[in-house]
Amino acid sequence: MNREFNSHLSRRGLLQASAGLLLTATLPPLPAWAASSNEYRIVAEPGRARLAGPNGPETGVWTYGGTIPGPIVRLRQGEPARLVVENRLDQETTVHWHGIRLPNPMDGVPGLTQPPITPGESFLYEFTPPDAGTFWYHPHANSLEQLGRGLAGAVIVEEREPVAVDRDLLWLLSDWRLTEEGRIASGFGNHMEAAMSGRVGNTVTLNGKVSEAEPFLAGERIRLRLANGSLARIMALRFEGHRPVVIAIDGQPCDPHEPEAGRILLGPAMRVDLMLDLQGEPERRYDVVDDFYDGLSYQVTQLAYDEAAPIRGRVADAALELPRNPLPEPDLGSAERHTLTLQGGMMSTAGMSGLGNMNGMMGGGMMGMGSGAVWAINGQSMTGDGHAGMEPALTFQRGRSIVLELRNETAWWHPMHFHGHSLKVLSRNGKPMPHRQWQDTVLMAPKDAVEVAFVADNPGCWMLHCHVMDHQMSGMMTVLRVV
Ligand code: C2O
Ligand code: CU
């Protein structure tokens, strides 16, 4: 795999000459967080972290700003942001501001939207976030390894008016594959895993640490922003003894609703904002469990109530609904319709299955697959992280309404992410989606068919890919272009 990454990464240059945005390390220093200016300086650099807590072993990691996760980037809706990213790694990187509808040159896809940031160089990202909500940032170069070694952080775009809650909390959940000595296991890009569920790890951290308990007060109303920063692990969270209400998905407010069967499904890269009323008893502890994988449920943390009496007698009665973001409403009557079919992997519909059959598995039907491609979208496999010369699978006229049908013909789950836009989820397997959900990452179960709609209002070449990093790297990626 590394061989392939390198060949993609070296195919830059095209944009290098034209982009006046590539900065040198001589830029005047900015404070790490200047509260009133929306300005950040984020350094990608190696570091060490105690993922298992103060008594655990130290793990060599790659960080933003020396911490796992990276600093929370707090921006304000509708106000210009300036984010300088400095690369102190020994390989090229970029930053993708996942879910933020920003101008194409700020999207962080090496080769496609910007030259990669070479070691020692910096890049200035400038954009004005149109939407308030919970987003995150991560590399889009050598993504599997860079994200897998720790490069990730949250972006919170604040509403213009504060939301009435007692506390606003973020849980960035990450999955790590650690060795017994606490090292990050090597073997990124294992072909067998890439054709199956991807690199699922063995250690889940909450804001960079394995969590035994998180402190709460009885009676509190919490806005809890959940984000799954894992390479491949899908989560289904249950809050024992509580009834969380989903108020936003992927940063976009939805109709407040309780999750189906009380389980909050969170694929890699997805975010869910909850309103959580702490109606449990003082001094008690309540499990938060992830039971997505059959027989492999585990405790993510516990809600640990302080012994103090409830801070209010009954549930806060402020409205649960967040103000809507200014998303353009697609016109379904005049919309263009297209289908994107997800193909490949082990046990694909071609009837191939079993281990040791990788090379033959995809034989025939697939076109345009590079070496190592095991997945495809509409018969084409784009591998790696994005690079110059990717032919768009579809081109849309700016302003058109588009309906995409995503069909998962594979035997695996895929969180499908589209850059630069938010997608209104219309239906799943023929059933209309309730709760007015807009998402940038749509989790597809095996054989699912999902219809999404959007207005192609953001010009440029935009990636659409699976956010299981192994899947993206090995072909489940394409480019959609808006002209
Ligand atoms: Cu969060 Cu193209 O990715
Ligand atoms: Cu996938």
Side-chain angles (χ1 to χ4, degrees):
M1 266 292 157
N2 271 317
R3 198 171 12 93
E4 288 164 33
F5 297 153
N6 292 336
S7 73
H8 291 137
L9 291 170
S10 63
R11 251 180 275 170
R12 56 200 178 91
L14 180 75
L15 294 166
Q16 197 119 31
S18 60
L21 290 159
L22 200 66
L23 305 173
T24 63
T26 58
L27 210 82
L30 294 171
W33 178 40
S36 59
S37 62
N38 272 14
E39 290 194 359
Y40 285 80
R41 180 180 200 89
I42 298 170
V43 179
E45 59 191 347
R48 307 195 67 77
R50 293 194 190 273
L51 302 172
N55 304 318
E58 263 197 339
T59 302
V61 290
W62 296 351
T63 74
Y64 290 124
T67 60
I68 297 288
I72 297 179
V73 171
R74 275 183 195 278
L75 306 177
R76 279 179 299 279
Q77 183 176 21
E79 292 184 24
R82 285 167 55 89
L83 304 125
V84 175
V85 174
E86 185 183 331
N87 182 4
R88 286 194 210 145
L89 303 170
D90 64 4
Q91 58 183 261
E92 295 171 338
T93 193
T94 62
V95 172
H96 172 57
W97 311 93
H98 182 118
I100 298 181
R101 298 187 296 135
L102 41 61
N104 193 254
M106 299 293 114
D107 197 40
V109 182
L112 194 69
T113 71
Q114 70 166 96
I117 312 168
T118 53
E121 286 183 322
S122 298
F123 189 92
L124 171 61
Y125 293 93
E126 281 186 294
F127 53 86
T128 301
D131 303 323
T134 308
F135 304 94
W136 68 299
Y137 61 103
H138 63 78
H140 223 286
N142 191 11
S143 310
L144 175 61
E145 184 171 8
Q146 291 191 11
L147 179 60
R149 291 193 183 277
L151 288 168
V155 182
I156 292 177
V157 182
E158 289 168 352
E159 286 82 12
R160 291 195 172 87
E161 302 292 330
V163 173
V165 292
D166 295 308
R167 284 190 296 156
D168 185 326
L169 302 179
L170 168 87
W171 289 2
L172 177 52
L173 303 169
S174 311
D175 179 41
W176 309 80
R177 184 177 294 176
L178 299 179
T179 65
E180 300 221 340
E181 306 77 52
R183 286 204 193 86
I184 291 175
S186 57
F188 287 97
N190 174 300
H191 282 254
M192 194 61 66
E193 277 179 345
M196 301 170 71
S197 55
R199 181 175 158 117
V200 176
N202 53 19
T203 304
V204 171
T205 56
L206 187 165
N207 296 340
K209 280 183 191 55
V210 173
S211 171
E212 265 163 36
E214 299 292 314
F216 289 94
L217 288 171
E220 277 189 298
R221 170 170 280 186
I222 303 289
R223 176 181 187 168
L224 181 56
R225 302 169 187 263
L226 303 169
N228 184 347
S230 303
L231 292 177
R233 180 184 288 278
I234 302 167
M235 299 176 182
L237 301 184
R238 281 190 302 102
F239 288 74
E240 189 214 335
H242 290 75
R243 298 180 65 180
V245 175
V246 177
I247 55 172
I249 304 175
D250 289 351
Q252 301 296 350
C254 57
D255 295 336
H257 63 278
E258 290 191 25
E260 223 180 293
R263 273 167 117 228
I264 298 142
L265 256 189
L266 211 57
M270 288 176 64
R271 290 88 62 214
V272 168
D273 286 28
L274 300 177
M275 206 61 101
L276 188 60
D277 282 307
L278 289 152
Q279 293 297 301
E281 291 163 33
E283 252 180 303
R284 262 196 72 179
R285 288 182 169 222
Y286 299 87
D287 291 348
V288 179
V289 170
D290 169 11
D291 64 3
F292 179 78
Y293 299 101
D294 274 346
L296 294 174
S297 87
Y298 65 97
Q299 184 180 302
V300 177
T301 187
Q302 287 187 317
L303 310 180
Y305 277 63
D306 190 87
E307 58 187 26
I311 62 165
R312 63 171 63 80
R314 55 190 187 89
V315 177
D317 51 11
L320 288 171
E321 191 146 353
L322 296 171
R324 296 263 148 182
N325 285 321
L327 291 164
E329 188 67 34
D331 173 13
L332 299 182
S334 70
E336 263 176 53
R337 300 184 68 92
H338 300 274
T339 300
L340 293 175
T341 304
L342 315 181
Q343 300 153 318
M346 285 291 189
M347 298 171 279
S348 67
T349 43
M352 311 278 195
S353 67
L355 307 181
N357 199 15
M358 290 288 300
N359 292 327
M361 182 177 70
M362 302 290 298
M366 297 296 164
M367 298 174 52
M369 289 198 310
S371 66
V374 290
W375 304 96
I377 297 176
N378 286 1
Q380 299 285 336
S381 301
M382 288 177 179
T383 55
D385 293 282
H387 49 78
M390 281 188 169
E391 257 314 295
L394 298 168
T395 297
F396 308 125
Q397 295 302 313
R398 189 174 178 183
R400 285 297 303 247
S401 290
I402 311 292
V403 172
L404 290 181
E405 188 192 17
L406 302 168
R407 299 189 71 89
N408 181 4
E409 285 187 353
T410 80
W412 302 90
W413 291 73
H414 305 287
M416 299 304 297
H417 172 48
F418 186 34
H419 288 207
H421 299 76
S422 193
L423 307 168
K424 184 174 193 179
V425 187
L426 301 177
S427 73
R428 194 179 282 271
N429 302 322
K431 272 181 42 196
M433 283 297 282
H435 318 310
R436 288 194 293 169
Q437 298 185 15
W438 292 76
Q439 294 178 233
D440 56 62
T441 308
V442 179
L443 184 61
M444 314 248 331
K447 311 303 173 196
D448 262 3
V450 174
E451 272 184 318
V452 297
F454 63 101
V455 178
D457 64 345
N458 201 353
C461 281
W462 302 102
M463 311 279 344
L464 183 147
H465 62 84
C466 178
H467 224 287
V468 170
M469 281 298 158
D470 307 82
H471 294 180
Q472 175 202 307
M473 291 290 171
S474 55
M476 192 168 281
M477 176 162 63
T478 193
V479 171
L480 308 184
R481 182 162 161 234
V482 179
V483 291

